[in-house]
Amino acid sequence: MTQQKQVSTTAVGLIDFPALPAGTETTLVPIAAADGAGSRGVLYTRGGERTVVVVSHPRGDMSRHYAAPAVLEAGYAFYVHLTRGLNNDTDIEHERLLLDLAAGLSHLRNDRSFEKIVLLGNSGGGSLLTFYQQQAGTTPPGRLTDTASGDPLDLNAVEMPKADGVVLIAAHPGQGAFMLTAIDPSVTDENDPLAVDPELDMYNPANGYRLPPEPSKYSAEFLERYRAAQHARVARLDARARDLIADQRRYKRRMREPGFADLPLEEQNHVTRRALVGQYLVVQRTEADPAYLDTSLHTWKSTRKPGSILGPRPDQVNYAPGGFGRLVTPRAWLSTWSGLSTRATLIESLKSVHEPLLVINLTSDSICFPDDSQAQFDASPAEDKTIRFVEAEHFATPLPKREEALRLIVEWLAPHFPAARNL
């Protein structure tokens, strides 16, 4: 369909645009990945575009991403890939999401004939898209041949068009790397959301906690113990996930053994049910990064206030239903949320990305700190790279600051990539 005029609406979310430029055509693109899984893309064009800017996120719906209007006005197409994990990350494996992106970018390159592709990684989309670019830039047979849990998945057999440039805005270190800093190490019983070791509880006043908006203050000794305990808890969850997967595989092997069909039906059922059963990890309390409340941490260029992107009271979010990574399959935990097992870590992926890079840090962000963005920038081997800082929160608010960030993106795109011929 074609949107002939700008239509504004107040019913927009934190990352939504209020209107599209006049004459924008919106095309829904069904995508089938190499493994047969379906996903879809949303392509915005105004005509004659030679470069397409690509946005994606592991689970978030970015089909109305706030960058679209500015990118379109500048003469670039805008494409959003909605992965198989849309609005549901309980079973997301990042390696499989790469199959979705590979099919989507192949469509843009082969069927839409775009000359250049630029990846725009926002929030969790940063680690996903740089992970894709790292694998796309790896010459077969050097790509991954399995998932983080060890299931076969050969990316060498998949067409993976490499992008020509990368933009990162408010791109946190990756879901696993983030979880490694945000998981609550004071949990003493994974089956009890209230079980707590007071000596490892960042929300215990004895450890430096103060009621927001007053900043908390944690000692170096506490933080050292705290970070070590976070690693230990993630390692325990990794071991539990691998045990569940191994148990399932053991019964699947029994189903393939000669003579299985000759077993008594009761025994067949016993084996089959254990081979197929889907078990989940319930990960209690995942909103516990001391940096949320102690603003003396990550101070370089930071303008943030106490709180997290889920609200000003992370102590309450930590115990409330929902939250990041709370209910996941063992495979999703290892691939996506485990900072010890995931392959989708932004800074590691960037080490293999040589294409032109723009990094924009939003200095009031409470999930991607300025020193994180600087470390990502420093890790990039690209000869052509730029970093900029804008005083805004994670969702690029307030809106005047969002416009400033978008101007930086458009000004960077212009000398690097061809715009529409009809501009």
Side-chain angles (χ1 to χ4, degrees):
M1 64 181 184
T2 301
Q3 190 159 336
Q4 295 295 342
K5 61 180 181 179
Q6 288 193 343
V7 180
S8 63
T9 173
T10 57
V12 296
L14 289 170
I15 62 167
D16 295 358
F17 56 72
L20 287 170
T24 297
E25 181 176 334
T26 303
T27 305
L28 298 179
V29 184
I31 297 293
D35 63 352
S39 58
R40 63 185 183 274
V42 182
L43 177 64
Y44 298 106
T45 57
R46 300 177 72 202
E49 289 91 354
R50 302 158 65 189
T51 299
V52 59
V53 174
V54 175
V55 171
S56 190
H57 189 276
R59 66 180 174 91
D61 185 349
M62 298 215 169
S63 59
R64 292 176 56 85
H65 193 275
Y66 58 72
V71 169
L72 287 161
E73 290 278 12
Y76 303 98
F78 195 82
Y79 175 83
V80 182
H81 197 98
L82 306 173
T83 74
R84 67 185 72 187
L86 180 64
N87 295 326
N88 181 9
D89 65 356
T90 56
D91 63 351
I92 280 180
E93 293 179 88
H94 266 65
E95 294 84 358
R96 300 190 192 280
L97 299 187
L98 299 195
L99 300 179
D100 298 340
L101 291 171
L105 268 65
S106 294
H107 173 80
L108 296 173
R109 185 80 81 191
N110 302 331
D111 300 329
R112 299 284 171 172
S113 300
F114 286 109
E115 298 174 25
K116 300 291 183 180
I117 296 174
V118 178
L119 304 179
L120 196 165
N122 180 203
S123 192
S127 53
L128 172 63
L129 290 173
T130 53
F131 183 34
Y132 172 86
Q133 184 72 349
Q134 180 226 18
Q135 288 296 300
T138 301
T139 304
R143 295 176 184 164
L144 292 172
T145 58
D146 61 6
T147 66
S149 63
D151 291 333
L153 192 154
D154 190 1
L155 293 178
N156 296 288
V158 179
E159 179 186 8
M160 300 183 71
K162 188 169 66 167
D164 303 285
V166 177
V167 177
L168 299 174
I169 178 169
H172 63 65
Q175 288 173 260
F178 154 74
M179 182 62 77
L180 199 56
T181 65
I183 198 166
D184 189 340
S186 71
V187 171
T188 58
D189 182 348
E190 295 293 344
N191 297 312
D192 182 356
L194 295 174
V196 62
D197 178 351
E199 294 188 357
L200 287 172
D201 184 5
M202 67 168 275
Y203 299 117
N204 181 352
N207 295 325
Y209 171 70
R210 298 294 179 266
L211 190 68
E214 182 184 351
S216 298
K217 178 63 178 177
Y218 302 104
S219 70
E221 184 273 335
F222 173 78
L223 291 171
E224 183 177 2
R225 288 190 294 109
Y226 193 90
R227 296 304 188 194
Q230 285 180 307
H231 278 69
R233 185 180 174 204
V234 170
R236 291 194 299 271
L237 287 165
D238 279 16
R240 173 62 175 157
R242 295 190 189 281
D243 285 347
L244 289 171
I245 293 167
D247 192 58
Q248 185 183 49
R249 285 175 178 156
R250 183 163 56 252
Y251 284 103
K252 285 186 175 181
R253 286 194 298 270
R254 287 191 60 185
M255 289 179 64
R256 296 192 295 267
E257 290 176 355
F260 175 75
D262 299 325
L263 294 175
L265 183 57
E266 183 178 2
E267 187 172 350
Q268 290 186 46
N269 287 341
H270 174 84
V271 172
T272 302
R273 290 168 185 173
R274 281 155 181 76
L276 299 177
V277 67
Q279 298 195 55
Y280 292 85
L281 297 177
V282 179
V283 184
Q284 312 289 356
R285 310 211 302 264
T286 60
E287 190 74 356
D289 185 347
Y292 292 155
L293 298 180
D294 187 345
T295 53
S296 71
L297 305 174
H298 297 282
T299 57
W300 183 74
K301 287 188 178 292
S302 178
T303 57
R304 74 189 190 280
K305 299 176 181 178
S308 76
I309 67 167
L310 297 183
R313 293 292 302 272
D315 57 318
Q316 295 180 356
V317 176
N318 194 43
Y319 283 87
F324 295 115
R326 292 291 185 89
L327 180 67
V328 289
T329 65
R331 289 172 170 83
W333 169 261
L334 293 171
S335 178
T336 296
W337 288 111
S338 167
L340 303 179
S341 295
T342 184
R343 283 89 169 254
T345 301
L346 179 52
I347 199 166
E348 291 302 318
S349 295
L350 274 177
K351 291 177 181 179
S352 301
V353 176
H354 294 263
E355 286 68 36
L357 172 70
L358 170 64
V359 177
I360 298 177
N361 177 267
L362 307 181
T363 62
S364 300
D365 199 342
S366 57
I367 191 172
C368 179
F369 308 111
D371 52 357
D372 286 334
S373 291
Q374 186 65 52
Q376 295 160 12
F377 177 80
D378 292 342
S380 165
E383 295 182 3
D384 182 345
K385 58 182 181 178
T386 303
I387 187 168
R388 295 288 183 263
F389 299 88
V390 176
E391 189 174 341
E393 297 180 352
H394 182 70
F395 297 102
T397 53
L399 294 183
K401 294 297 184 179
R402 176 179 291 181
E403 294 171 2
E404 179 183 342
L406 293 176
R407 280 197 302 272
L408 291 174
I409 292 174
V410 169
E411 290 171 359
W412 181 83
L413 287 171
H416 285 91
F417 303 101
R421 294 183 176 87
N422 56 5
L423 279 186

